[in-house]
Amino acid sequence: MGGGALETNCLTNGETESSLHRQFSPAPAALDNSLSDANDAVADHDVPAKRARLQKELTFQDMYQNEGVFDEDDEDDSDWEPFQLHKCVEFEIKKWCCRNCTMINLDCNDCCYICGEHRESKILSHGFFASPLAQDDDLIEVQGDVKRLKDVGSQKPVPNSSTAIGFDERMLLHAEVDKKSPPHPERPDRLQAIAASLSRAGIFPGKCYAIPAREITPEELITVHSLEHIESVEVTTESLSSYFTPDTYANQHSALAARLAAGLCADLASAIVSGRAKNGFALVRPPGHHAGVRQAMGFCLHNNAAVAALAAQAAGARKVLILDWDVHHGNGTQEIFEHNKSVLYISLHRHEDGKFYPGTGAAEEIGSMGAEGYCVNIPWSRGGVGDNDYNFAFQHVVLPIASEFNPDFTIVSAGFDAARGDPLGCCDITPSGYAHMTHMLNTLSGGKLLVILEGGYNLRSISSSATAVIKVLLGESPGCELENSFPSKAGLLTVLEVLKIQMKFWLSLGPIFVNLESQWRMYCFQKKRKQIKKRRRLVVPMWWRWGRKSSFFYFMNGHLHKKSKSLC
C-alpha cells in the first residue's frame, strides 16, 4: 500500500504513506505579532520602509495566511475597474485527475502525462481491455459489472471449477468522504476495474465460482488483534468520516467492509484447506498487511492475511506460508507472527535502508523468541525493480526456504503496487512476472493457494496483473520463460545479504550462498583486471625517464595518471 495526497508521481522515502493531507497553520504568536506590526505600519509616516521590513520578517507562509496585512489604503485606487477581476478569472488553470493513476493533469491535455491514460477512458467498465488512448467506441460496453456480481455469491459452484472468488459489493462503500484532488489512491475504483476485466475475460462470473460473503466475528478477530483495536474500528460506524492516521481513513461503512473482507478471507482459507476449492482469490478491500496487533495504518484496518492463516490452521493446516510481494513491507503481518514458528513470513519489498514506507523489513529482522528464521525479508535497495530480480530472488531464496519449510497452505499478500506504472511503488513487474511467481508458488502445499488483494493503485496495472494471476490459478500456463533473467547488481547484492543471514537457519541456503558468492568474486576480479589493463595502456615507455624527454615524460605521466583515475 502507499499513500496519500500525492504531489509527485511516486513516493520514495519514509514520508510515503503518511504524507497525506498535510495542513499548515501559522503559530498564534507569529500571527499576533504580524498583525500588530502591520497596524503600526499604517499609522507610521514611513509606511513603505516598514512594510518592506515587515515582509522580510514574515515567512511566506505567514504572508499567505494573512493576505490583508499589507492592504493599507495609502494609494489611490480610483482607477480600479471591476472588469479587471474578470480578466484574471479567465486565466484560472483548470485541471483534471486521471481515472487510472489519480495524477493531476492540465485541462489542455487529453491524456495523463504520467500513465498516458485518456481523460475519458472507460477502464471502469472495460477493465484493462479499454484502450488507454481513445474512448473505445468500437467496444460494446458491459453494463453494471459490479451489479452483475451482487447475486453471484448465491450461485451454485460451476462444474469442474476449482478456483473460488471472494467478493461483496458492500466493500465498495468504504471510501474517503472528504473528496480531494487528487483522490485517495485506495479507492473503490480498484475493485471495479478488476471486476470489469474479469467479466470481459469471461473468468468471473464464468470459470470461477463465488463463496457467500459473511462478516468476521469478534471472537475470530481477537486471535489476531487486540480488543482495543477491534473496538477502535467498530466505533467508526458512529462517524461520517474519521482517520486512524493521516492516510488511513474510515467512514460509517468502513467497519462493515473490513469485517466482510476478513470473513471472506477466512472462509476461502477454510474451503481450500478442506478441499472444497483447490485455490482462491480474495477480491477484497480495505487491504490488511499493515494492520498490526494494536493499530490500523497504511490504508489497512484488519489484517486479512493473518485472519486467513489462523482460519487455515483451524481447518487442519499445520504450517502456513505467507508470501508478501506488495511493494511495501507488511509490518503488521510480521508483528503478528514474529514469535510463531508455525507461520513462515517472507516479504519482498522496497526498503532503501528504512527510507521507504513503512521503514521496517530489513534483512536483519528474522523473528524472535525462538522463531528466528521464520521471518525472511528481501529488502530492495532501490526502485525500478522488475521481473528479473523477483524471479532471481524466488529461485535462490523464496523457493528453497519454502520447500524446506514444507507448508500445508500458502497465502499470497498480493499487492500489485510493484507493477509497472504504479504511482506509489515505482517498480517494474509485468503481468507475466506476477503470473510466473504464482506458478512457482502453486507447486507448494499441493496447490493449496490463496491470493489476497493488498495494494496497487494504477487501475490498468492492477486489473491486468490480477487477471494474469487468476488465469494461472485456473490452470493456464504463465507463458514463456522470462528472458534474460539475470538480476541487477543491486538485486544480486540484496539476495547475497539475505542468504548470508538466513543460511544460519535454513540448511538449503548454504550451497546457494557459496555458489553465488564465488560468482560475484569472479565477476569483481575480472572487472578489476580489465581496469588494470586500461591503466597499463596509458603508461609511457620506461626509457623516457632517462632520455632527453624526461621532463615531457613527467608532465605526461602526471596527466595520464589523473586520466587513468577518472576511468576507474
Side-chain angles (χ1 to χ4, degrees):
M1 275 73 36
L6 304 177
E7 297 181 358
T8 58
N9 65 322
C10 63
L11 300 175
T12 58
N13 53 40
E15 294 180 335
T16 49
E17 294 185 326
S18 61
S19 64
L20 271 172
H21 325 314
R22 291 184 176 175
Q23 298 181 353
F24 299 98
S25 59
L31 181 59
D32 293 340
N33 293 336
S34 63
L35 290 175
S36 60
D37 290 344
N39 293 332
D40 293 340
V42 174
D44 203 307
H45 296 290
D46 192 11
V47 172
K50 285 202 172 185
R51 184 190 309 162
R53 184 172 66 255
L54 179 60
Q55 291 177 339
K56 185 176 180 181
E57 293 174 353
L58 289 176
T59 65
F60 176 80
Q61 178 182 318
D62 295 331
M63 296 167 62
Y64 179 78
Q65 295 288 342
N66 303 283
E67 298 175 1
V69 169
F70 308 104
D71 295 337
E72 295 90 350
D73 296 325
D74 57 346
E75 295 182 3
D76 183 18
D77 60 356
S78 59
D79 58 345
W80 181 87
E81 295 182 9
F83 73 86
Q84 294 176 348
L85 179 61
H86 298 292
K87 289 183 179 180
C88 296
V89 173
E90 290 177 1
F91 291 98
E92 180 182 357
I93 299 177
K94 296 182 180 180
K95 301 177 182 179
W96 58 276
C97 292
C98 177
R99 296 182 182 179
N100 182 49
C101 68
T102 73
M103 292 294 101
I104 297 178
N105 294 268
L106 297 178
D107 191 58
C108 58
N109 298 326
D110 287 333
C111 293
C112 177
Y113 79 102
I114 295 295
C115 68
E117 195 79 14
H118 195 275
R119 66 190 303 176
E120 300 297 334
S121 169
K122 296 184 179 179
I123 192 168
L124 292 182
S125 56
H126 298 326
F128 72 90
F129 293 97
S131 170
L133 301 176
Q135 299 184 27
D136 301 300
D137 294 331
D138 56 329
L139 289 178
I140 300 175
E141 186 166 348
V142 178
Q143 296 291 342
D145 289 299
V146 175
K147 185 177 181 181
R148 293 174 60 195
L149 300 178
K150 277 190 174 183
D151 301 322
V152 77
S154 60
Q155 71 179 19
K156 295 181 180 179
V158 179
N160 301 322
S161 178
S162 60
T163 299
I165 299 289
F167 177 82
D168 191 286
E169 79 282 354
R170 287 174 289 178
M171 291 182 290
L172 301 176
L173 298 175
H174 171 63
E176 191 173 32
V177 175
D178 185 13
K179 302 297 182 183
K180 298 178 176 64
S181 180
H184 198 288
E186 207 298 286
R187 58 203 191 279
D189 295 352
R190 300 171 64 240
L191 293 195
Q192 289 182 281
I194 298 176
S197 300
L198 296 179
S199 178
R200 280 203 163 271
I203 293 176
F204 181 65
K207 298 179 181 179
C208 302
Y209 69 92
I211 64 169
R214 75 168 179 91
E215 301 175 33
I216 198 77
T217 64
E219 291 75 22
E220 292 171 289
L221 282 178
I222 200 66
T223 61
V224 173
H225 299 292
S226 66
L227 180 61
E228 293 76 15
H229 170 77
I230 298 171
E231 292 175 346
S232 69
V233 174
E234 290 302 315
V235 79
T236 60
T237 59
E238 302 173 4
S239 302
L240 180 64
S241 176
S242 56
Y243 286 83
F244 293 95
T245 66
D247 63 357
T248 307
Y249 66 82
N251 63 16
Q252 56 189 339
H253 306 291
S254 298
L256 171 63
R259 292 196 303 270
L260 287 168
L264 283 166
C265 291
D267 289 352
L268 280 168
S270 299
I272 296 169
V273 171
S274 63
R276 288 180 282 121
K278 182 179 180 181
N279 51 42
F281 189 97
L283 185 55
V284 297
R285 60 180 294 272
H289 74 152
H290 290 309
V293 176
R294 298 176 179 83
Q295 81 281 351
M297 61 179 290
F299 312 165
C300 303
L301 302 188
H302 294 322
N303 196 304
N304 301 320
V307 169
L310 296 183
Q313 291 184 328
R318 190 168 55 90
K319 294 187 291 184
V320 177
L321 164 65
I322 300 179
L323 189 282
D324 191 336
W325 68 41
D326 190 284
V327 77
H328 302 95
H329 178 243
N331 57 305
T333 309
Q334 176 175 296
E335 177 194 3
I336 292 168
F337 294 114
E338 63 182 346
H339 310 315
N340 193 332
K341 296 177 66 174
S342 66
V343 178
L344 170 63
Y345 178 68
I346 303 178
S347 176
L348 304 95
H349 52 272
R350 280 184 67 179
H351 185 253
E352 301 176 18
D353 294 326
K355 298 177 183 178
F356 195 77
Y357 186 89
T360 57
E364 293 79 13
E365 298 175 23
I366 58 175
S368 59
M369 297 180 63
E372 289 80 4
Y374 288 87
C375 176
V376 180
N377 285 302
I378 304 174
W380 305 122
S381 60
R382 60 176 180 82
V385 184
D387 294 345
N388 291 344
D389 283 329
Y390 274 79
N391 183 60
F392 186 79
F394 261 66
Q395 295 289 349
H396 294 86
V397 179
V398 175
L399 293 181
I401 292 178
S403 298
E404 190 172 342
F405 179 66
N406 192 22
D408 303 304
F409 184 61
T410 301
I411 297 172
V412 180
S413 276
F416 295 110
D417 43 6
R420 178 178 296 173
D422 189 272
L424 302 191
C426 300
C427 286
D428 199 40
I429 304 181
T430 64
S432 177
Y434 284 115
H436 277 89
M437 288 191 287
T438 305
H439 180 70
M440 287 186 278
L441 293 174
N442 214 19
T443 61
L444 304 170
S445 311
K448 295 182 177 180
L449 176 64
L450 171 60
V451 181
I452 300 175
L453 181 65
E454 296 284 358
Y457 310 103
N458 179 305
L459 301 187
R460 187 168 294 277
S461 298
I462 190 176
S463 57
S464 58
S465 299
T467 303
V469 166
I470 295 176
K471 285 182 177 180
V472 173
L473 295 180
L474 287 168
E476 295 187 22
S477 171
C480 301
E481 291 295 325
L482 297 175
E483 298 180 1
N484 301 323
S485 57
F486 297 103
S488 64
K489 178 181 176 181
L492 174 61
L493 292 176
T494 296
V495 169
L496 283 172
E497 178 189 12
V498 175
L499 288 172
K500 187 175 182 180
I501 294 172
Q502 292 291 339
M503 69 181 193
K504 303 172 185 176
F505 313 104
W506 305 99
L507 298 177
S508 60
L509 300 184
I512 298 174
F513 174 76
V514 172
N515 182 39
L516 287 181
E517 188 181 40
S518 63
Q519 293 183 27
W520 171 246
R521 289 180 180 275
M522 180 60 67
Y523 167 79
C524 293
F525 176 73
Q526 292 176 351
K527 186 177 181 181
K528 189 174 183 180
R529 287 187 62 182
K530 290 180 180 179
Q531 292 175 342
I532 293 175
K533 287 182 179 179
K534 286 183 179 180
R535 293 194 192 102
R536 286 177 177 175
R537 292 193 191 104
L538 301 175
V539 175
V540 181
M542 293 293 294
W543 57 269
W544 277 35
R545 291 173 183 254
W546 301 277
R548 295 173 58 187
K549 301 179 180 180
S550 58
S551 60
F552 182 68
F553 157 72
Y554 286 114
F555 169 78
M556 290 296 295
N557 187 49
H559 174 70
L560 293 176
H561 180 65
K562 292 180 181 178
K563 186 176 181 182
S564 65
K565 279 187 175 180
S566 66
L567 294 174
C568 295

